[in-house]
Amino acid sequence: GAGVSQSPRYKVAKRGQDVALRCDPISGHVSLFWYQQALGQGPEFLTYFQNEAQLDKSGLPSDRFFAERPEGSVSTLKIQRTQQEDSAVYLCASSPQGTRQPQHFGDGTRLSIL
Amino acid sequence: LAKTTQPISMDSYEGQEVNITCSHNNIATNDYITWYQQFPSQGPRFIIQGYKTKVTNEVASLFIPADRKSSTLSLPRVSLSDTAVYYCLVGDTGRRALTFGSGTRLQVQP
């Protein structure tokens, strides 16, 4: 079946530009997570949605980062006024409702800020 | 969230069994132990999850002692395609964000 889909796979932007990264979760999955992965490191949590509600955004590094999931399905991670330190792979994961449900990851968007 | 400690890297040869041990001394009563595998340019992929004793699926086994302060992922007869980074995590994967750590880089040689 279809997995988590992220687009674009690669994004290059100039410093100061705004970017938007899209995540299409597995159909019917209630929970959606965004992670940031720096080169050679494990993914780090950014934010979590349950349906359309953003229940945890404690991992967002600054107020330049904003995420939404208006209809409880597709989610967008937006980064305003990008900086070089924002260069990373951004991963999206989704899971069904309930405990102990494994998170299913997309292959990420590699963001490079010049 | 419970912190995990695992070896930074391991080397093996094709056909061998590989065991990767993870320490999680402050695991909570409700925490489960989950292992993910990640290849370059791909997202992490779920391998196996368990709470206690032993769990086995088509790709791996997970051994958890009674005190649950550690766990061992066992990969039988590895192949070159098992070269990847393996992450051990504890918590409730369905309701909480995952804390990955740096993982174990497994290199399988011919």
Side-chain angles (χ1 to χ4, degrees):
Chain A
V4 176
S5 178
Q6 293 188 246
S7 60
R9 286 282 282 127
Y10 303 92
K11 176 68 178 178
V12 179
K14 293 183 179 179
R15 188 174 55 183
Q17 289 183 330
D18 297 347
V19 297
L21 312 180
R22 177 187 170 102
C23 173
D24 283 85
I26 294 173
S27 178
H29 278 194
V30 169
S31 299
L32 185 144
F33 303 80
W34 283 99
Y35 295 83
Q36 180 189 60
Q37 186 170 25
L39 188 63
Q41 302 297 316
E44 293 190 357
F45 169 74
L46 294 176
T47 187
Y48 161 53
F49 290 85
Q50 187 172 51
N51 294 308
E52 69 277 6
Q54 189 174 20
L55 298 186
D56 187 349
K57 54 182 180 179
S58 62
L60 296 177
S62 76
D63 59 7
R64 296 185 295 103
F65 286 71
F66 172 76
E68 60 183 5
R69 193 186 186 198
E71 297 180 358
S73 178
V74 172
S75 177
T76 303
L77 176 66
K78 299 179 180 179
I79 309 173
Q80 298 176 327
R81 305 181 302 282
T82 54
Q83 300 178 5
Q84 283 192 324
E85 60 262 31
D86 298 335
S87 296
V89 175
Y90 291 86
L91 294 163
C92 176
S94 70
S95 68
Q97 187 170 19
T99 63
R100 298 182 286 115
Q101 298 295 329
Q103 294 180 22
H104 300 266
F105 284 80
D107 287 335
T109 294
R110 181 176 297 277
L111 176 63
S112 298
I113 305 300
L114 305 180
Chain B
L1 293 174
K3 181 179 178 180
T4 61
T5 303
Q6 52 184 123
I8 294 174
S9 64
M10 295 183 67
D11 293 308
S12 183
Y13 292 94
E14 283 190 291
Q16 289 189 334
E17 178 184 74
V18 171
N19 296 309
I20 306 175
T21 297
C22 178
S23 298
H24 27 79
N25 292 320
N26 59 339
I27 187 170
T29 302
N30 295 330
D31 285 343
Y32 279 73
I33 300 158
T34 309
W35 286 80
Y36 280 79
Q37 173 193 55
Q38 187 174 27
F39 298 111
S41 300
Q42 294 186 23
R45 183 172 71 99
F46 170 81
I47 301 176
I48 197 166
Q49 179 176 261
Y51 185 80
K52 62 180 179 181
T53 63
K54 177 183 175 182
V55 179
T56 298
N57 62 21
E58 63 275 11
V59 298
S61 295
L62 179 59
F63 299 91
I64 305 168
D67 66 5
R68 303 201 327 122
K69 293 184 182 300
S70 66
S71 60
T72 299
L73 174 72
S74 181
L75 305 173
R77 297 179 299 282
V78 295
S79 64
L80 296 176
S81 62
D82 292 317
T83 294
V85 178
Y86 293 82
Y87 294 98
C88 162
L89 304 99
V90 295
D92 184 341
T93 58
R95 292 186 173 179
R96 291 187 177 184
L98 300 177
T99 301
F100 276 84
S102 297
T104 297
R105 295 183 178 276
L106 173 64
Q107 180 71 49
V108 179
Q109 307 278 3

